[in-house]
Amino acid sequence: MPLTSDQLCGVGLFGGTFDPVHIGHLRTALELKNLLALAEMRLMPSARPPHRVLPQASPKQRMAMLKLGLAGEPGLVADDRELRRDGPSYTVDSLIELRHEIGPEVPLCLCIGMDALLTINQWHRWRDLTDFAHIVVAARPGWHLPESGEVLNFVEDHRLHQTRELQTTPAGGLLIREMTLLPVSATGIRQALQRGESIRYLVPDDIIDYINQHQLY
Ligand code: ATP
């Protein structure tokens, strides 16, 4: 049964490089927003991702493409806090800021892929993330948790099994949801462009126009 508007609650945060944002990100963000009955889902580009090579498009260009992708979908919001902050883009700092803005009671859901969960123990202050938010993991069918180690212990310490449990507490839980993720990646899109191939239907048309106008990738 769909939730009514007064049952909608909570804020989601979906971080990424978004170099460029594509239908895999957009569709997952929308599905998670609906699944978790969030009032809004914030998509937050990382300025200086600590664990990977620097993005090719500038922060301003990645944000411009993200805004084009989100146009017309009011529940999905571009969040530029990491682009405004100096230094490495640590997710925990963004959660602390956002928690301060929304107050202590509102559920906050940090949405990540299973690939990110498997290396979450490399993130800055990773054990503190659940002090400020729930963690919602989008898993592809066939992706597995590690069989042992500190990530598995962390999952077991925080794991919830019902979506409703996230809606009644502000932070501290971890929920894994299997989703059919579209087989699209920003790496694949950049490679297709370098080979001169079409990326039509992999990213919204307005973003393709922006990439062409600014001669990106
Ligand atoms: P790249 O290929 O440059 O690494 P990417 O396409 O994987 O980029 P990111 O910006 O690095 O995208 O990822 C941001 C978030 O989006 C991560 O949590 C990642 O798991 C998730 N994600 C990436 N691709 C998809 C997809 N096709 N469907 C759903 N989620 C995705």
Side-chain angles (χ1 to χ4, degrees):
M1 195 169 58
L3 292 163
T4 57
S5 58
D6 60 330
Q7 290 173 301
L8 291 174
C9 60
V11 173
L13 190 65
F14 187 97
T17 317
F18 303 132
D19 188 26
V21 71
H22 53 67
I23 56 163
H25 302 129
L26 296 168
R27 187 67 215 168
T28 302
L30 185 62
E31 284 187 19
L32 283 172
K33 175 182 171 285
N34 293 341
L35 177 80
L36 304 171
L38 299 172
E40 68 178 22
M41 174 68 90
R42 307 181 79 90
L43 286 89
M44 179 179 69
S46 170
R48 282 162 287 276
H51 300 298
R52 50 181 287 162
V53 293
L54 276 182
Q56 290 186 19
S58 70
K60 200 172 145 206
Q61 289 167 333
R62 288 183 289 123
M63 181 50 96
M65 290 187 281
L66 179 59
K67 284 189 172 160
L68 288 171
L70 302 182
E73 188 55 53
L76 300 186
V77 179
D79 186 318
D80 68 351
R81 72 187 61 244
E82 293 195 344
L83 306 183
R84 287 187 272 109
R85 216 166 51 218
D86 288 331
S89 304
Y90 293 130
T91 301
V92 69
D93 295 336
S94 301
L95 291 180
I96 292 169
E97 277 181 29
L98 199 47
R99 172 56 68 200
H100 188 69
E101 289 165 25
I102 65 178
E105 308 293 340
V106 176
L108 176 58
C109 297
L110 173 67
C111 300
I112 61 175
M114 180 63 96
D115 52 327
L117 178 71
L118 298 180
T119 53
I120 200 168
N121 54 340
Q122 295 169 23
W123 294 23
H124 182 59
R125 292 180 57 191
W126 68 283
R127 289 180 190 280
D128 296 341
L129 295 168
T130 43
D131 290 346
F132 307 101
H134 299 298
I135 298 177
V136 177
V137 182
R140 287 185 175 88
W143 275 83
H144 300 297
L145 288 170
E147 285 176 11
S148 60
E150 57 184 7
V151 171
L152 181 67
N153 294 341
F154 178 77
V155 171
E156 286 176 346
D157 286 347
H158 294 279
R159 188 138 185 200
L160 305 175
H161 294 276
Q162 302 290 332
T163 305
R164 295 239 164 230
E165 295 174 85
L166 291 188
Q167 293 158 340
T168 49
T169 51
L174 187 147
L175 184 76
I176 300 177
R177 276 284 168 266
E178 282 209 353
M179 304 179 64
T180 331
L181 302 185
L182 298 168
V184 181
S185 72
T187 303
I189 288 168
R190 295 192 299 273
Q191 287 170 347
L193 287 166
Q194 277 154 23
R195 291 193 298 262
E197 293 168 10
S198 168
I199 57 164
R200 189 101 200 265
Y201 308 128
L202 297 177
V203 302
D205 286 348
D206 287 349
I207 299 181
I208 299 182
D209 292 343
Y210 186 95
I211 289 171
N212 291 337
Q213 275 164 22
H214 293 80
Q215 298 177 334
L216 297 178
Y217 311 115

